[in-house]
Amino acid sequence: MNMIQALNDAHKVVMRADEDVVVFGEDAGYFGGVFRVTEGLQKEFGKQRAFDAPISEGGIVATAVGMAAYGIKPLIEIQFADYIYPGYDQIVSEVAKMRYRTAGEWAMPMVIRTPYGGGIFGGQTHSQSPESLFTHIAGLKVVVPSTPYDAKGLLIAAVEDPDPVIFFEPKRIYNGPFDGHHDRPVKPWSKHPASEVPEGYYTVPLGKASIVREGDAVTVLAYGTMVHVALAAVEEQGLDAEVIDLRTLVPLDIKTIEKSVEKTGRCLIAQEAPRTSGFAAELSALVQERCFYHLEAPVERVTGWDTPYPHAYEWAYFPGPKRLKRALEKVMAD
Amino acid sequence: MSDKDPSLRRNAPKLALHVPEPPFRPGDAPDFSSLKIPAAGSAPRPDIAAPAAETHPLTTQLVRVLGDDSKAVGAWDPKLDPETLRKMLRDMITVRIFDDRMYRAQRQGKTSFYMKCTGEEAIAIAAQTALDREDMHFPTYRQQGLLVARGYPLTEMMNQIYSNRGDKLRGRQLPIMYSDKKFGFFSISGNLGTQFPQAVGWAMGAAIKGDSRIAMGWIGDGATAEGDFHSALTFAAVYNVPVVLAVVNNQWAISSFSGIAGAERATFAQRAVGYGIAGLRVDGNDALAVYAATKWASERARSNQGPTLIEFFTYRAEGHSTSDDPSGYRPTNEAKSWPLGDPIERLKAHLIAIGEWDDERHAAANAEADATVRAAQKESEKLGILPEQGKNGVETMFDDVYAEVPWHIAEQREQALSEGRD
């Protein structure tokens, strides 16, 4: 199964299990979404539970707030993460704060799914990684899967979670794992172990990172597409690196990070998003605060540049294995 | 500065920006004689199943029931029994006295902030009277009357105002931002307009589940400029949602008059026309008209005929809040000149006109409401006032961010508590 199929399967599992789960979004009903993640849902569950929405992200999120207040569990799609900004006020001021401001009387259990990231020649408005805008907001959980197995298990867990979850889907690896090199085609997921996606119900718990490669030389923290870039970089470099896929940014699995950095003494953080105030900055500060006396070198960050996403130069923008290689050399040099 | 080529546009007229101005500013004598006020009873009342377009002429008129002689007249007369009318009047009196007491409490330093609804009491009270107890409101900060009309304990409202030990919101919201699920009153947001599409979403949920309850969304004239207003109307129209959407046009958004929200070009009720939904423009100071319009819209929604946008045309008689001084932007006596009068006085006059009320009973009702409000205040203040709060129970500040307290918030809670111990 590729990630799209795994996510589609997760939708079917949760919708069969809970008739209060309702799916909607732009093109998400009849057509099944522009990436086909919601394909077939309207046919199986009917128009009352899977339907198209007007081009109004603010309206989509706001009506989901109302539905959650009613007792329905919205599982909504924002077509691209770049389109989420018109819904930002509703997410930040309403979804995130409702449990708090009503002292638990009105919780907002909902999942806001959205494809994020670059590497598909999507230009400025189909390539962004805005996760740090949400990790900064108290009340939201933020999830970024990197494999089909995790995508299905995390999405089911997100729907079951009592808190609102922003679920970022790395669209660059929807169809296959990315080796970070733009001159090579994406390989299909079929030969990847994480494409073994079990039928039916299972969950991958929120707040639990995954050590995708064990090693002693350096800890590499990554999530989403960058997990695959990081793996490619350390393999090509022949480094005994420990690569950690965070899977959930909020709540963060700090214990796994601490344990690894205490072991390796070095840390590299990789994110696609621009550098300034990105989530890598938060990770870097946490590692510095909690593991300083174990560190043998300064914490390194590999990120996108602090520019809008440039269409024609996206491969110079996207942090690929070459950029990681240089950063790894630096972090290993001291 | 400019990149225009003067040789190309030599004879073109100079463009100018139009910034709307209210008819009167401080020092002017307010004169509303140019305002067109249709006679009570003149507006036709379409069938609740009528096509939306049939209501569209009503978006420029004014549905009015109470005539100059204080008698109810015309097709919109809801023919309410005297007991219901008296309850509405008593509730409106209670709201006004409650507002006055809480305004004074703020001035006495017992709380940080307060917002009155003076001059608008008929709207929330009569609208709620027309709805079922189980319908859901998504209100603004000026619909305290919804709670009063539903019999919400005044002490509970005051506890939320004082953020005291009895505050069910645990001191996390501004004083007038009530919330109570059991009373069908959704949590109020300070970011204006957010609740309007949420009301639509709640009613979509009711429709999806085959419920018989409906939702009512509330917004002020100023906030109709927010994108949320337009997404609410789009979704309501697209899915034929069982929702009543109310714009309370009280003429003023803090110091900006309704023209700054677009009222010079079209009435707020006319916004319904472009979306193809039913629209009504209603005298908001006429409790019977408010009741009748809300009842009509709610029956329309409840019978799957779709949404209605109602503009309640009224006037904010006092400041926006305790932080506002309206004498800085409008004539001080403007409220007294408002041609639609005072809603309490009008309903009182109607009850007297039909022989169901008199000055003595009115005075007694005032005294009774005053005693009730004072007793509630006494009761609430036993649980504390705002300046005494925020010292004990600091650890509760970290609850309810998530269902369970995650490690990073637990660490911060520990830090906050240790700072308190230093």
Side-chain angles (χ1 to χ4, degrees):
Chain A
M1 251 187 217
N2 65 25
M3 196 185 285
I4 292 168
Q5 293 161 332
L7 288 164
N8 182 262
D9 202 37
H11 277 79
K12 288 177 178 163
V13 168
V14 294
M15 290 180 83
R16 283 172 194 151
D18 183 354
E19 62 178 25
D20 285 338
V21 177
V22 169
V23 174
F24 62 107
E26 292 152 18
D27 303 297
Y30 183 83
F31 190 51
V34 293
F35 291 104
R36 305 294 187 279
V37 171
T38 57
E39 192 167 41
L41 301 183
Q42 189 170 84
K43 205 169 174 193
E44 179 174 347
F45 301 102
K47 283 180 11 177
Q48 302 281 305
R49 292 186 61 198
F51 53 89
D52 293 319
I55 301 178
S56 169
E57 292 79 14
I60 292 168
V61 178
T63 50
V65 169
M67 286 182 206
Y70 179 83
I72 273 178
K73 199 148 200 193
L75 168 49
I76 60 177
E77 176 175 298
I78 301 296
Q79 201 161 70
F80 285 89
D82 317 69
Y83 301 168
I84 210 162
Y85 309 117
Y88 195 61
D89 179 41
Q90 286 284 344
I91 296 173
V92 170
S93 310
E94 306 297 305
V95 174
K97 294 177 173 62
M98 202 61 71
R99 179 191 293 281
Y100 192 72
R101 79 181 194 216
T102 65
E105 191 165 55
W106 261 298
M108 285 285 127
M110 68 169 72
V111 178
I112 302 173
R113 288 182 37 248
T114 188
Y116 86 96
I120 60 146
F121 284 98
Q124 292 173 18
T125 55
H126 300 77
S127 306
Q128 293 171 70
S129 301
E131 66 277 6
S132 69
L133 300 181
F134 298 91
T135 58
H136 193 60
I137 304 301
L140 301 175
K141 290 183 175 171
V142 179
V143 174
V144 193
S146 72
T147 66
Y149 178 89
D150 280 3
K152 178 175 171 182
L154 284 166
L155 186 61
I156 295 172
V159 173
E160 287 180 351
D161 199 271
D163 293 310
V165 178
I166 316 292
F167 196 89
F168 286 102
E169 298 170 4
K171 59 182 169 300
R172 175 67 192 170
I173 53 171
Y174 261 159
N175 291 303
F178 175 49
D179 71 3
H181 296 272
H182 68 288
D183 53 349
R184 297 182 207 163
V186 166
K187 292 176 200 154
W189 276 109
S190 54
K191 294 203 169 62
H192 195 283
S195 69
E196 299 274 326
V197 177
E199 292 285 315
Y201 178 91
Y202 71 93
T203 58
V204 172
L206 306 191
K208 188 117 190 58
S210 158
I211 300 172
V212 292
R213 187 191 191 284
E214 288 194 18
D216 291 319
V218 54
T219 299
V220 181
L221 304 179
Y223 52 94
T225 307
M226 291 310 291
V227 172
H228 300 272
V229 180
L231 283 170
V234 298
E235 294 295 340
E236 286 169 22
Q237 218 141 333
L239 265 176
D240 183 24
E242 183 144 293
V243 179
I244 296 177
D245 176 358
L246 299 177
R247 297 201 288 208
T248 308
L249 308 189
V250 181
L252 184 69
D253 184 354
I254 192 69
K255 286 214 165 66
T256 298
I257 296 171
E258 279 178 34
K259 206 173 150 198
S260 178
V261 175
E262 284 169 14
K263 178 177 71 172
T264 63
R266 297 171 199 273
C267 183
L268 173 81
I269 302 157
Q271 70 173 26
E272 264 190 75
R275 191 175 186 85
T276 302
S277 303
F279 194 67
E282 176 63 27
L283 290 169
S284 172
L286 284 169
V287 169
Q288 189 275 135
E289 282 166 1
R290 305 170 90 93
C291 310
F292 182 77
Y293 294 108
H294 295 272
L295 286 173
E296 289 168 38
V299 176
E300 269 295 308
R301 279 184 290 167
V302 175
T303 71
W305 309 125
D306 284 337
T307 68
Y309 215 101
H311 180 233
Y313 296 99
E314 77 166 9
W315 289 107
Y317 179 93
F318 192 94
K322 268 191 202 161
R323 211 180 297 166
L324 259 75
K325 196 179 162 213
R326 257 178 250 123
L328 282 166
E329 280 166 6
K330 198 174 164 198
V331 83
M332 295 306 295
D334 292 313
Chain B
M1 293 296 279
S2 169
D3 59 358
K4 76 173 181 184
D5 180 349
S7 65
L8 291 178
R9 303 192 59 81
R10 214 170 28 234
N11 298 320
K14 262 192 187 175
L15 298 173
L17 190 71
H18 168 69
V19 179
E21 267 296 314
F24 320 110
R25 284 298 194 188
D28 294 340
D31 174 11
F32 289 107
S33 57
S34 62
L35 206 66
K36 282 186 198 154
I37 307 289
S42 61
R45 184 184 183 278
D47 188 85
I48 57 153
E54 207 176 300
T55 67
H56 291 167
L58 290 165
T59 62
T60 50
Q61 303 179 27
L62 212 50
V63 172
R64 305 182 73 224
V65 172
L66 290 173
D68 294 340
D69 59 357
S70 298
K71 296 271 178 63
V73 58
W76 286 95
D77 176 8
K79 300 192 170 23
L80 291 174
D81 61 88
E83 197 42 54
T84 303
L85 292 171
R86 280 190 291 262
K87 174 168 190 305
M88 289 205 300
L89 182 62
R90 285 196 187 98
D91 285 345
M92 287 161 65
I93 290 169
T94 301
V95 168
R96 187 164 294 182
I97 290 172
F98 182 92
D99 274 358
D100 286 341
R101 294 297 305 174
M102 290 297 98
Y103 184 91
R104 198 177 307 181
Q106 191 276 340
R107 288 295 188 248
Q108 290 167 341
K110 292 176 178 174
T111 189
S112 58
F113 184 73
Y114 193 73
M115 300 178 101
K116 299 167 100 171
C117 67
T118 313
E120 302 172 41
E121 292 89 346
I123 295 169
I125 295 292
Q128 171 44 39
T129 308
L131 286 192
D132 284 357
R133 171 65 180 74
E134 291 196 308
D135 293 332
M136 184 70 178
H137 287 291
F138 286 77
T140 80
Y141 42 71
R142 233 181 284 281
Q143 273 81 52
Q144 52 267 59
L146 298 174
L147 286 169
V148 172
R150 280 185 166 168
Y152 195 65
L154 301 182
T155 309
E156 182 62 44
M157 290 172 79
M158 290 169 177
N159 290 345
Q160 294 183 34
I161 289 166
Y162 290 136
S163 294
N164 65 15
R165 292 196 301 283
D167 176 12
K168 62 177 290 184
L169 306 180
R170 307 177 92 182
R172 293 171 187 159
Q173 275 279 50
L174 266 177
I176 39 67
M177 294 194 180
Y178 314 103
S179 175
D180 204 293
K181 196 173 194 173
K182 283 200 190 79
F183 279 76
F185 191 96
F186 192 69
S187 163
I188 293 173
S189 177
N191 290 16
L192 300 190
T194 54
Q195 72 285 355
F196 220 51
Q198 292 167 358
V200 175
W202 194 96
M204 285 170 72
I208 288 167
K209 292 310 233 182
D211 201 341
S212 59
R213 294 174 296 165
I214 61 167
M216 186 162 183
W218 297 83
I219 199 167
D221 48 288
T224 59
E226 291 281 6
D228 277 335
F229 173 76
H230 302 279
S231 58
L233 289 175
T234 300
F235 279 68
V238 166
Y239 303 112
N240 204 42
V241 176
V243 66
V244 181
L245 294 168
V247 178
V248 179
N249 175 8
N250 69 9
Q251 314 300 321
W252 291 96
I254 309 189
S255 70
S256 302
F257 88 119
S258 57
I260 293 292
E264 281 184 344
R265 310 284 171 166
T267 69
F268 294 100
Q270 275 180 296
R271 270 59 169 173
V273 178
Y275 293 92
I277 67 176
L280 301 171
R281 190 161 180 260
V282 177
D283 178 350
N285 290 19
D286 177 342
L288 297 190
V290 172
Y291 178 97
T294 311
K295 192 78 183 167
W296 184 93
S298 71
E299 282 175 2
R300 187 173 171 86
R302 226 181 287 283
S303 56
N304 275 317
Q305 311 287 339
T308 304
L309 179 72
I310 307 176
E311 174 185 352
F312 292 118
F313 192 68
T314 185
Y315 185 88
R316 194 195 76 209
E318 299 225 8
H320 168 72
S321 72
T322 44
S323 307
D324 176 36
D325 174 12
S327 71
Y329 51 83
R330 68 184 190 191
T332 46
N333 59 344
E334 195 177 83
K336 289 193 178 67
S337 313
W338 183 245
L340 296 173
D342 179 289
I344 294 179
E345 293 303 317
R346 285 177 69 189
L347 185 55
K348 173 191 171 193
H350 173 63
L351 271 159
I352 291 172
I354 60 172
E356 295 289 347
W357 199 245
D358 52 48
D359 284 332
E360 219 166 85
R361 290 165 85 177
H362 194 78
N366 262 313
E368 194 187 331
D370 188 61
T372 305
V373 169
R374 278 171 191 271
Q377 187 179 14
K378 205 171 164 189
E379 208 50 42
S380 176
E381 289 183 5
K382 279 185 197 162
L383 299 172
I385 53 174
L386 181 64
E388 300 162 359
Q389 309 308 316
K391 296 183 185 85
N392 298 317
V394 166
E395 69 280 2
T396 68
M397 190 167 76
F398 298 89
D399 294 340
D400 304 319
V401 182
Y402 298 93
E404 286 176 22
V405 180
W407 67 267
H408 63 290
I409 294 180
E411 284 187 0
Q412 290 166 29
R413 178 175 60 192
E414 188 49 40
Q415 189 185 342
L417 291 173
S418 71
E419 281 170 2
R421 288 193 290 265
D422 289 342

